[in-house]
Amino acid sequence: MIDVSVIIPVYNEEAGLKALFDRLYPALDNLGKSYEIVFINDGSRDRSSSILSEQFNARRDVTRVILLKGNFGQHMAIMAGFEHSRGKMIVTLDADLQNPPEEIGKLLGKMDEGYDYVGSIRKNRQDSLWRSFASRLMNGLRERITRIKMTDQGCMLRAYSRGIIDAINSAREINTFIPALAYTFASNPTEIEVEHEERAAGESKYSLYSLIRLNFDLMTGFSVMPLQVFSLFGILISLLSTLFVVYLAIRRLIVGPEAQGVFTLFGIVFFLIGIIMFGIGLLGEYIGRIYQEVRHRPRYLIETVLEDSK
Ligand code: UDP
Ligand code: MG
């Protein structure tokens, strides 16, 4: 059995792939472990897929390439990689060299100490101020809502044991967040600090919109607390309004009818309508996910797998 599988999702990364190969292969050769690298082309529209095929021919011994039929998203691409991985330990890495491949050895060292999940924290993170701020915010929120403890959820350079990957493969989730899903299956997780660099080439594949979607996946995929908070709030409001109605009824009998304070009433009503809309949206987030799960569509479609049959 192979020691290590390195899983790398690739989406429109033609500008940076060469630099990745030049650092990744030597870094792994130096480890003294048997390894395979599984590249997943997530429906790139640039030359990524032909660059990957060339690389497969150059290093057939340790390279496998999965070409997906469309763009299914980073996490589904990684899932495809997991299902085709054969290693005893599995490492995920981004293709953009933001996490140096030389750090893989450190992660594996921790795995050898007996941990089954090695997360990572980006040392002096090289992202825009706004990105760092937003991700600190989301980390804090997630920490409170879910039971998942991750200092830095955005860092994909992580190592998992075979057992965790088998559990993930059997979970068949669609909208998920792999480091968090893996964490829920881990029995002995740990974290280490890793270097972080600026993107070597190309640009980030995540827009603000997809980052927001991703965080909804995290919150709703791993906790029903948003719903519970909402229903608690609903109970509180309805108790208060019951009291208010009783008060109004008594006042009507004693003081008589009145039409003052209409704008205050509007203020309260608009506030409540806002909350109701938020609640409906939140329900929609869950229902949308349920809908996607029950359709049972394939999570990704594979065009070809380039590998040496062994
Ligand atoms: N990626 C992917 N499919 C997508 C978006 C991204 O496979 O739909 C890959 C991308 O090629 C890269 C990794 O996921 O290897 C992380 O993407 P990126 O570096 O753009 O994210 P960021 O570092 O900006 O969060
Ligand atoms: Mg990146």
Side-chain angles (χ1 to χ4, degrees), residues 229-243:
V229 167
F230 196 73
S231 55
L232 283 180
F233 189 77
I235 292 172
L236 192 72
I237 293 288
S238 60
L239 278 178
L240 287 179
S241 23
T242 313
L243 291 181

Side-chain angles (χ1 to χ4, degrees), residues 172-184:
R172 313 220 58 79
E173 286 192 39
I174 294 184
N175 294 296
T176 197
F177 190 79
I178 288 177
L181 187 60
Y183 185 90
T184 59

Side-chain angles (χ1 to χ4, degrees), residues 9-11 13 42 71 73-74 77 94-96 98 131 199 203-206:
V10 176
Y11 180 55
E13 301 280 6
D42 189 18
N71 180 234
Q74 179 186 1
D94 283 351
D96 58 3
Q98 286 196 276
R131 271 295 283 276
R199 217 174 204 291
E203 53 197 31
S204 173
K205 307 298 178 295
Y206 279 97

Side-chain angles (χ1 to χ4, degrees), residues 146-205:
T146 68
R147 263 186 286 165
I148 293 160
K149 299 231 174 325
M150 262 191 284
T151 313
D152 185 3
Q153 66 187 36
C155 191
M156 283 311 267
L157 175 59
R158 283 158 198 274
Y160 311 106
S161 70
R162 180 84 253 164
I164 291 181
I165 298 306
D166 288 342
I168 290 181
N169 286 342
S170 65
R172 313 220 58 79
E173 286 192 39
I174 294 184
N175 294 296
T176 197
F177 190 79
I178 288 177
L181 187 60
Y183 185 90
T184 59
F185 296 136
S187 51
N188 194 9
T190 186
E191 287 186 324
I192 60 169
E193 284 208 326
V194 294
E195 294 294 334
H196 190 240
E197 293 166 15
E198 260 176 79
R199 217 174 204 291
E203 53 197 31
S204 173
K205 307 298 178 295

